Amino acid sequence: MKLGIIGPAAAGKTTVFEALTHEFAGPGAKNETRLGTITVPDTRIDTLSEMFKPEKTIYAKVEYLLPGKKEGKKEAGADLNWIQVIRDVDALIVVIRNHAHLGYDKPEPAADFMAIQQELILTDLAAVEKRIERIHADAKRGKGTDKEELELVEKCREALEAERPIRRFPELVGSKLLKGYAMLSAKPVLVLFNNADEDETLPTESGIFSDETCMVIRGKLEHELAQMSREEAAELLEEFNIAASATDRVIRKSYEILGLISFFTVGEDEVRAWTIEKGESALEAAGQIHSDIQKGFIRAEIISYDDLIAAGSMAAAKKAGTFRLEGKTYTVKDGDIINFRFNV
Ligand SMILES: Nc1nc2c(ncn2[C@@H]2O[C@H](COP(=O)(O)OP(=O)(O)O)[C@@H](O)[C@H]2O)c(=O)[nH]1
Ligand SMILES: [Mg+2]
């Protein structure tokens, strides 16, 4: 899972990136594109690891991409570079300044968000218009037209012209024909309001955020916390009422906007978390692990994490009959512990 961090200049993108990834470039760092990988904290994996004492414990991973600035350009917002850099991310984190900042106007979260949204929409609109022209030109030259594709891109154009992001239209987001377009406004969005240290509230000034998944981050504070030891941080966590770190909270929301869930595999050699989309089948989950397991799929032995914990051990769970045998079409649930039986 890869998330791109975008937003207006001085919104706190670098601050947030560093708070999330714990990768500190320090002052004087170049404005290069940065990629940070972090392991997804999951207490269920901690517990399973204690239970099975495996040789290896493998957590899921998340990548954060912070587009650099082009040389000579001061304003990230006026820079097309980030548009190219974020093409292949799974979701966007839009950082919006919601605190007073020396040398800048008072925060205007709604206007700032709309400006970024507008850039995404205009980029997609240009691509869609080009494609429509192309389809018409091909038709004139006697090449067959894919009516279905034309209809879909025209729907996209209509939405984009009305300044609506494609992500609002599930039938367009889900369309296989449009996958190759990798439209920016089709990507799930998490809006991160970068608040002052003592401010925990979401901006309420306008209804424009009612369609968005939003959360508050106190970027500067989280950046400081990220550089402290657990003991040093403890006092600040209490003083500023921080129950879960920004990293934990952003990851949770990222899973939410992407519709992702975790399943686990356990054993003496390895305890491991896997990430799939909600609604995926046991067969698809098997394919995540290895194509051989998918090809030779026989059955999945499944127990939910909660049932295993309630039983106390695998042996006890088997005795209690909480282990289930499921076929290819079973829909995997968050927290399922799966043992795939397969033929090679
Ligand atoms: N007061 C305050 N300042 C912040 C916060 N987050 C970032 N800043 C400051 O705002 C400036 C711009 O932050 P930066 O992360 O470089 O913004 P970027 O241009 O979006 O990457 C820096 O001087 C930060 O120290 C915050 O939550 N509160
Ligand atoms: Mg920056």
Side-chain angles (χ1 to χ4, degrees):
M1 173 165 61
K2 196 179 196 177
L3 297 119
I5 300 178
I6 60 172
K13 300 180 293 298
T14 303
T15 306
V16 166
F17 173 86
E18 294 195 343
L20 294 178
T21 61
H22 293 213
E23 286 178 16
F24 305 100
K30 291 211 191 72
N31 269 313
E32 276 160 0
T33 294
R34 294 163 72 180
L35 183 68
T37 306
I38 62 168
T39 52
V40 175
D42 192 332
T43 53
R44 296 172 299 183
I45 285 287
D46 300 339
T47 306
L48 291 172
S49 186
E50 268 163 40
M51 199 170 203
F52 290 90
K53 310 219 178 327
E55 278 167 37
K56 274 189 292 181
T57 300
I58 304 177
Y59 294 80
K61 284 195 162 37
V62 175
E63 290 178 308
Y64 291 103
L65 180 74
L66 179 70
K69 283 182 222 167
K70 263 192 198 144
E71 276 188 53
K73 297 252 179 143
K74 268 221 164 111
E75 297 286 294
D79 189 349
L80 274 181
N81 191 37
W82 63 269
I83 297 259
Q84 291 143 16
V85 175
I86 58 164
R87 248 322 143 194
D88 73 330
V89 301
D90 301 304
L92 299 171
I93 292 180
V94 184
V95 179
I96 296 293
R97 182 169 64 92
N98 191 34
H99 61 270
H101 190 56
L102 203 65
Y104 282 84
D105 295 336
K106 74 170 180 37
E108 292 203 57
D112 282 358
F113 179 74
M114 289 316 274
I116 293 291
Q117 171 118 301
Q118 191 73 0
E119 291 207 51
L120 301 175
I121 286 175
L122 289 177
T123 305
D124 288 349
L125 186 58
V128 160
E129 279 174 343
K130 213 159 137 196
R131 181 69 195 140
I132 290 174
E133 255 172 49
R134 173 106 239 167
I135 293 173
H136 286 312
D138 282 352
K140 267 202 195 123
R141 285 192 290 118
K143 261 199 184 173
T145 331
D146 185 337
K147 284 236 175 64
E148 204 188 336
E149 187 187 358
L150 184 59
E151 220 168 87
L152 280 168
V153 280
E154 278 176 342
K155 264 190 202 151
C156 290
R157 178 169 66 182
E158 201 178 306
L160 295 164
E161 276 176 346
E163 299 188 1
R164 303 195 65 199
I166 298 299
R167 62 174 188 280
R168 296 266 184 280
F169 303 85
E171 75 280 12
L172 297 176
V173 174
S175 154
K176 284 218 171 69
L177 274 171
L178 295 176
K179 274 272 176 306
Y181 289 61
M183 280 190 277
L184 301 177
S185 77
K187 295 181 190 295
V189 162
L190 171 60
V191 184
L192 272 194
F193 294 105
N194 186 14
N195 281 16
D197 292 1
E198 41 302 307
D199 181 8
E200 290 175 60
T201 52
L202 286 164
T204 52
E205 55 163 314
S206 140
I208 73 151
F209 294 112
S210 57
D211 288 335
E212 311 299 338
T213 304
C214 298
M215 63 178 275
V216 165
I217 184 170
R218 288 170 278 175
K220 198 156 75 60
L221 184 61
E222 292 283 359
H223 192 267
E224 274 163 35
L225 283 167
Q227 296 176 84
M228 293 179 181
S229 68
R230 206 181 275 269
E231 296 77 45
E232 284 176 317
E235 204 175 306
L236 276 186
L237 291 176
E238 189 166 333
E239 181 182 342
F240 288 96
N241 190 29
I242 297 176
S245 75
T247 310
D248 287 8
R249 292 187 305 126
V250 170
I251 287 176
R252 233 176 285 142
K253 282 279 185 205
S254 305
Y255 271 63
E256 209 177 289
I257 59 167
L258 283 160
L260 298 176
I261 57 170
S262 307
F263 75 89
F264 309 119
T265 52
V266 298
E268 281 164 15
D269 49 338
E270 185 182 285
V271 164
R272 179 163 184 166
W274 302 85
T275 309
I276 56 167
E277 279 175 32
K278 207 184 279 172
E280 284 194 305
S281 66
L283 190 65
E284 287 167 309
Q288 272 279 316
I289 300 177
H290 202 286
S291 55
D292 283 349
I293 303 183
Q294 189 172 41
K295 265 187 234 139
F297 187 101
I298 301 170
R299 249 186 241 106
E301 294 177 341
I302 301 183
I303 182 170
S304 76
Y305 172 83
D306 290 338
D307 285 348
L308 174 62
I309 298 306
S313 72
M314 279 295 199
K318 276 187 183 151
K319 228 186 223 162
T322 35
F323 246 90
R324 287 167 290 129
L325 282 179
E326 301 282 0
K328 291 178 181 177
T329 58
Y330 167 79
T331 303
V332 175
K333 313 272 180 312
D334 186 50
D336 275 350
I337 296 166
I338 309 183
N339 177 34
F340 292 101
R341 288 204 202 151
F342 64 103
N343 267 328
V344 273

Short mmCIF file of all heavy atoms in Angstrom, two decimals, residues 120-152:
data_model
loop_
_atom_site.label_atom_id
_atom_site.label_comp_id
_atom_site.label_asym_id
_atom_site.label_seq_id
_atom_site.Cartn_x
_atom_site.Cartn_y
_atom_site.Cartn_z
N LEU A 120 -6.34 18.22 -9.33
CA LEU A 120 -6.55 16.80 -9.64
C LEU A 120 -7.59 16.69 -10.75
O LEU A 120 -7.43 15.94 -11.72
CB LEU A 120 -7.03 16.03 -8.40
CG LEU A 120 -6.12 16.05 -7.18
CD1 LEU A 120 -6.79 15.33 -6.00
CD2 LEU A 120 -4.78 15.39 -7.48
N ILE A 121 -8.66 17.45 -10.60
CA ILE A 121 -9.77 17.39 -11.55
C ILE A 121 -9.33 17.88 -12.94
O ILE A 121 -9.62 17.24 -13.94
CB ILE A 121 -10.97 18.20 -11.01
CG1 ILE A 121 -11.64 17.41 -9.86
CG2 ILE A 121 -11.98 18.50 -12.12
CD1 ILE A 121 -12.75 18.14 -9.15
N LEU A 122 -8.60 18.99 -12.98
CA LEU A 122 -8.18 19.53 -14.27
C LEU A 122 -7.20 18.60 -14.98
O LEU A 122 -7.24 18.46 -16.20
CB LEU A 122 -7.55 20.92 -14.08
CG LEU A 122 -8.55 22.02 -13.72
CD1 LEU A 122 -7.84 23.35 -13.49
CD2 LEU A 122 -9.62 22.18 -14.81
N THR A 123 -6.34 17.96 -14.21
CA THR A 123 -5.40 17.00 -14.80
C THR A 123 -6.18 15.84 -15.44
O THR A 123 -5.90 15.43 -16.56
CB THR A 123 -4.44 16.45 -13.73
OG1 THR A 123 -3.79 17.55 -13.11
CG2 THR A 123 -3.40 15.53 -14.34
N ASP A 124 -7.15 15.33 -14.71
CA ASP A 124 -7.96 14.22 -15.24
C ASP A 124 -8.77 14.67 -16.45
O ASP A 124 -8.90 13.94 -17.43
CB ASP A 124 -8.92 13.70 -14.16
CG ASP A 124 -8.19 12.91 -13.08
OD1 ASP A 124 -7.00 12.60 -13.29
OD2 ASP A 124 -8.80 12.62 -12.04
N LEU A 125 -9.31 15.87 -16.37
CA LEU A 125 -10.14 16.37 -17.46
C LEU A 125 -9.33 16.47 -18.76
O LEU A 125 -9.80 16.08 -19.83
CB LEU A 125 -10.75 17.73 -17.08
CG LEU A 125 -11.76 18.32 -18.06
CD1 LEU A 125 -12.94 17.37 -18.29
CD2 LEU A 125 -12.28 19.68 -17.57
N ALA A 126 -8.11 16.97 -18.63
CA ALA A 126 -7.25 17.08 -19.82
C ALA A 126 -7.01 15.70 -20.42
O ALA A 126 -7.09 15.53 -21.65
CB ALA A 126 -5.93 17.74 -19.44
N ALA A 127 -6.76 14.71 -19.59
CA ALA A 127 -6.50 13.35 -20.08
C ALA A 127 -7.74 12.76 -20.74
O ALA A 127 -7.66 12.13 -21.80
CB ALA A 127 -6.04 12.47 -18.92
N VAL A 128 -8.87 12.99 -20.12
CA VAL A 128 -10.13 12.44 -20.63
C VAL A 128 -10.49 13.08 -21.97
O VAL A 128 -10.90 12.40 -22.92
CB VAL A 128 -11.25 12.66 -19.58
CG1 VAL A 128 -12.62 12.57 -20.20
CG2 VAL A 128 -11.11 11.64 -18.45
N GLU A 129 -10.29 14.40 -22.06
CA GLU A 129 -10.61 15.08 -23.32
C GLU A 129 -9.72 14.61 -24.46
O GLU A 129 -10.17 14.42 -25.59
CB GLU A 129 -10.51 16.60 -23.14
CG GLU A 129 -11.78 17.14 -22.49
CD GLU A 129 -11.71 18.61 -22.14
OE1 GLU A 129 -10.60 19.17 -22.10
OE2 GLU A 129 -12.78 19.19 -21.90
N LYS A 130 -8.46 14.40 -24.13
CA LYS A 130 -7.53 13.92 -25.12
C LYS A 130 -7.97 12.55 -25.63
O LYS A 130 -7.95 12.26 -26.83
CB LYS A 130 -6.14 13.80 -24.49
CG LYS A 130 -5.01 14.09 -25.44
CD LYS A 130 -3.77 14.46 -24.63
CE LYS A 130 -2.53 13.80 -25.19
NZ LYS A 130 -1.43 13.86 -24.22
N ARG A 131 -8.39 11.72 -24.72
CA ARG A 131 -8.82 10.36 -25.07
C ARG A 131 -10.08 10.40 -25.94
O ARG A 131 -10.19 9.64 -26.91
CB ARG A 131 -9.06 9.55 -23.78
CG ARG A 131 -9.47 8.13 -24.00
CD ARG A 131 -8.34 7.28 -24.57
NE ARG A 131 -8.88 6.03 -25.08
CZ ARG A 131 -8.50 5.42 -26.19
NH1 ARG A 131 -7.53 5.94 -26.92
NH2 ARG A 131 -9.06 4.30 -26.56
N ILE A 132 -11.00 11.27 -25.60
CA ILE A 132 -12.23 11.36 -26.38
C ILE A 132 -11.92 11.82 -27.82
O ILE A 132 -12.43 11.24 -28.78
CB ILE A 132 -13.25 12.32 -25.70
CG1 ILE A 132 -13.77 11.69 -24.40
CG2 ILE A 132 -14.42 12.64 -26.64
CD1 ILE A 132 -14.66 12.58 -23.57
N GLU A 133 -11.06 12.80 -27.93
CA GLU A 133 -10.62 13.26 -29.26
C GLU A 133 -10.05 12.11 -30.07
O GLU A 133 -10.36 11.93 -31.23
CB GLU A 133 -9.52 14.31 -29.09
CG GLU A 133 -9.98 15.74 -29.34
CD GLU A 133 -8.88 16.72 -28.96
OE1 GLU A 133 -7.72 16.52 -29.38
OE2 GLU A 133 -9.18 17.66 -28.19
N ARG A 134 -9.19 11.37 -29.42
CA ARG A 134 -8.51 10.23 -30.04
C ARG A 134 -9.53 9.19 -30.53
O ARG A 134 -9.43 8.69 -31.66
CB ARG A 134 -7.59 9.64 -28.96
CG ARG A 134 -6.91 8.39 -29.29
CD ARG A 134 -5.45 8.64 -29.56
NE ARG A 134 -5.17 8.20 -30.92
CZ ARG A 134 -4.07 8.49 -31.58
NH1 ARG A 134 -3.18 9.27 -31.04
NH2 ARG A 134 -3.87 8.01 -32.77
N ILE A 135 -10.50 8.90 -29.70
CA ILE A 135 -11.51 7.90 -30.08
C ILE A 135 -12.27 8.38 -31.31
O ILE A 135 -12.50 7.62 -32.26
CB ILE A 135 -12.48 7.61 -28.90
CG1 ILE A 135 -11.73 6.90 -27.76
CG2 ILE A 135 -13.66 6.76 -29.37
CD1 ILE A 135 -12.54 6.70 -26.48
N HIS A 136 -12.62 9.67 -31.33
CA HIS A 136 -13.33 10.22 -32.48
C HIS A 136 -12.46 10.21 -33.73
O HIS A 136 -12.92 9.89 -34.82
CB HIS A 136 -13.83 11.64 -32.18
CG HIS A 136 -15.00 11.66 -31.25
ND1 HIS A 136 -16.11 10.86 -31.44
CD2 HIS A 136 -15.25 12.37 -30.12
CE1 HIS A 136 -16.98 11.08 -30.45
NE2 HIS A 136 -16.47 11.99 -29.63
N ALA A 137 -11.18 10.56 -33.56
CA ALA A 137 -10.25 10.57 -34.70
C ALA A 137 -10.11 9.17 -35.27
O ALA A 137 -10.14 8.97 -36.49
CB ALA A 137 -8.90 11.13 -34.27
N ASP A 138 -10.00 8.19 -34.40
CA ASP A 138 -9.89 6.80 -34.83
C ASP A 138 -11.13 6.37 -35.60
O ASP A 138 -11.04 5.70 -36.62
CB ASP A 138 -9.69 5.87 -33.63
CG ASP A 138 -8.26 5.91 -33.11
OD1 ASP A 138 -7.42 6.53 -33.80
OD2 ASP A 138 -7.99 5.33 -32.05
N ALA A 139 -12.29 6.78 -35.10
CA ALA A 139 -13.55 6.40 -35.75
C ALA A 139 -13.60 6.98 -37.17
O ALA A 139 -14.05 6.31 -38.10
CB ALA A 139 -14.72 6.92 -34.91
N LYS A 140 -13.12 8.21 -37.31
CA LYS A 140 -13.12 8.86 -38.63
C LYS A 140 -12.24 8.10 -39.62
O LYS A 140 -12.54 8.03 -40.80
CB LYS A 140 -12.59 10.30 -38.50
CG LYS A 140 -13.72 11.30 -38.30
CD LYS A 140 -13.31 12.71 -38.70
CE LYS A 140 -14.30 13.70 -38.14
NZ LYS A 140 -13.66 14.70 -37.29
N ARG A 141 -11.15 7.56 -39.09
CA ARG A 141 -10.22 6.83 -39.95
C ARG A 141 -10.70 5.39 -40.16
O ARG A 141 -9.96 4.55 -40.66
CB ARG A 141 -8.81 6.83 -39.36
CG ARG A 141 -8.14 8.19 -39.54
CD ARG A 141 -6.65 8.13 -39.23
NE ARG A 141 -6.41 7.94 -37.80
CZ ARG A 141 -5.80 6.89 -37.29
NH1 ARG A 141 -5.38 5.92 -38.05
NH2 ARG A 141 -5.62 6.81 -36.00
N GLY A 142 -11.92 5.11 -39.77
CA GLY A 142 -12.50 3.80 -40.03
C GLY A 142 -12.17 2.75 -38.98
O GLY A 142 -12.54 1.58 -39.11
N LYS A 143 -11.44 3.16 -37.94
CA LYS A 143 -11.15 2.21 -36.86
C LYS A 143 -12.41 2.05 -36.01
O LYS A 143 -13.15 3.00 -35.79
CB LYS A 143 -10.04 2.78 -35.97
CG LYS A 143 -8.67 2.23 -36.29
CD LYS A 143 -7.81 2.48 -35.06
CE LYS A 143 -6.37 2.08 -35.23
NZ LYS A 143 -5.59 2.53 -34.06
N GLY A 144 -12.63 0.86 -35.54
CA GLY A 144 -13.82 0.61 -34.71
C GLY A 144 -13.78 1.41 -33.42
O GLY A 144 -12.71 1.72 -32.91
N THR A 145 -14.95 1.78 -32.91
CA THR A 145 -15.00 2.52 -31.66
C THR A 145 -15.45 1.58 -30.56
O THR A 145 -16.39 0.81 -30.75
CB THR A 145 -16.06 3.64 -31.74
OG1 THR A 145 -16.17 4.04 -33.08
CG2 THR A 145 -15.72 4.79 -30.85
N ASP A 146 -14.78 1.69 -29.42
CA ASP A 146 -15.25 0.96 -28.26
C ASP A 146 -16.34 1.83 -27.61
O ASP A 146 -16.05 2.76 -26.87
CB ASP A 146 -14.09 0.70 -27.30
CG ASP A 146 -14.52 -0.17 -26.12
OD1 ASP A 146 -15.73 -0.20 -25.81
OD2 ASP A 146 -13.65 -0.82 -25.50
N LYS A 147 -17.59 1.47 -27.94
CA LYS A 147 -18.73 2.30 -27.47
C LYS A 147 -18.77 2.40 -25.96
O LYS A 147 -19.07 3.45 -25.39
CB LYS A 147 -20.04 1.67 -27.96
CG LYS A 147 -20.32 1.92 -29.44
CD LYS A 147 -21.69 2.58 -29.63
CE LYS A 147 -21.94 2.95 -31.09
NZ LYS A 147 -22.00 1.74 -31.98
N GLU A 148 -18.46 1.26 -25.31
CA GLU A 148 -18.54 1.24 -23.87
C GLU A 148 -17.51 2.19 -23.25
O GLU A 148 -17.81 2.93 -22.31
CB GLU A 148 -18.30 -0.19 -23.38
CG GLU A 148 -18.91 -0.47 -22.02
CD GLU A 148 -18.49 -1.83 -21.48
OE1 GLU A 148 -18.12 -2.72 -22.28
OE2 GLU A 148 -18.50 -1.99 -20.25
N GLU A 149 -16.30 2.17 -23.82
CA GLU A 149 -15.26 3.05 -23.29
C GLU A 149 -15.65 4.52 -23.53
O GLU A 149 -15.51 5.36 -22.64
CB GLU A 149 -13.90 2.76 -23.94
CG GLU A 149 -12.80 3.56 -23.26
CD GLU A 149 -11.44 3.45 -23.94
OE1 GLU A 149 -11.32 2.71 -24.94
OE2 GLU A 149 -10.51 4.13 -23.47
N LEU A 150 -16.12 4.79 -24.71
CA LEU A 150 -16.51 6.17 -25.03
C LEU A 150 -17.58 6.68 -24.06
O LEU A 150 -17.49 7.79 -23.55
CB LEU A 150 -17.01 6.26 -26.48
CG LEU A 150 -17.36 7.66 -26.98
CD1 LEU A 150 -16.16 8.59 -26.90
CD2 LEU A 150 -17.89 7.62 -28.41
N GLU A 151 -18.53 5.82 -23.80
CA GLU A 151 -19.61 6.19 -22.88
C GLU A 151 -19.05 6.49 -21.49
O GLU A 151 -19.42 7.49 -20.85
CB GLU A 151 -20.58 5.01 -22.78
CG GLU A 151 -22.04 5.41 -22.72
CD GLU A 151 -22.91 4.18 -22.92
OE1 GLU A 151 -23.19 3.51 -21.90
OE2 GLU A 151 -23.28 3.87 -24.07
N LEU A 152 -18.12 5.63 -21.07
CA LEU A 152 -17.52 5.82 -19.74
C LEU A 152 -16.70 7.09 -19.65
O LEU A 152 -16.81 7.85 -18.69
CB LEU A 152 -16.65 4.61 -19.38
CG LEU A 152 -17.38 3.38 -18.88
CD1 LEU A 152 -16.44 2.17 -18.86
CD2 LEU A 152 -17.96 3.61 -17.49
#
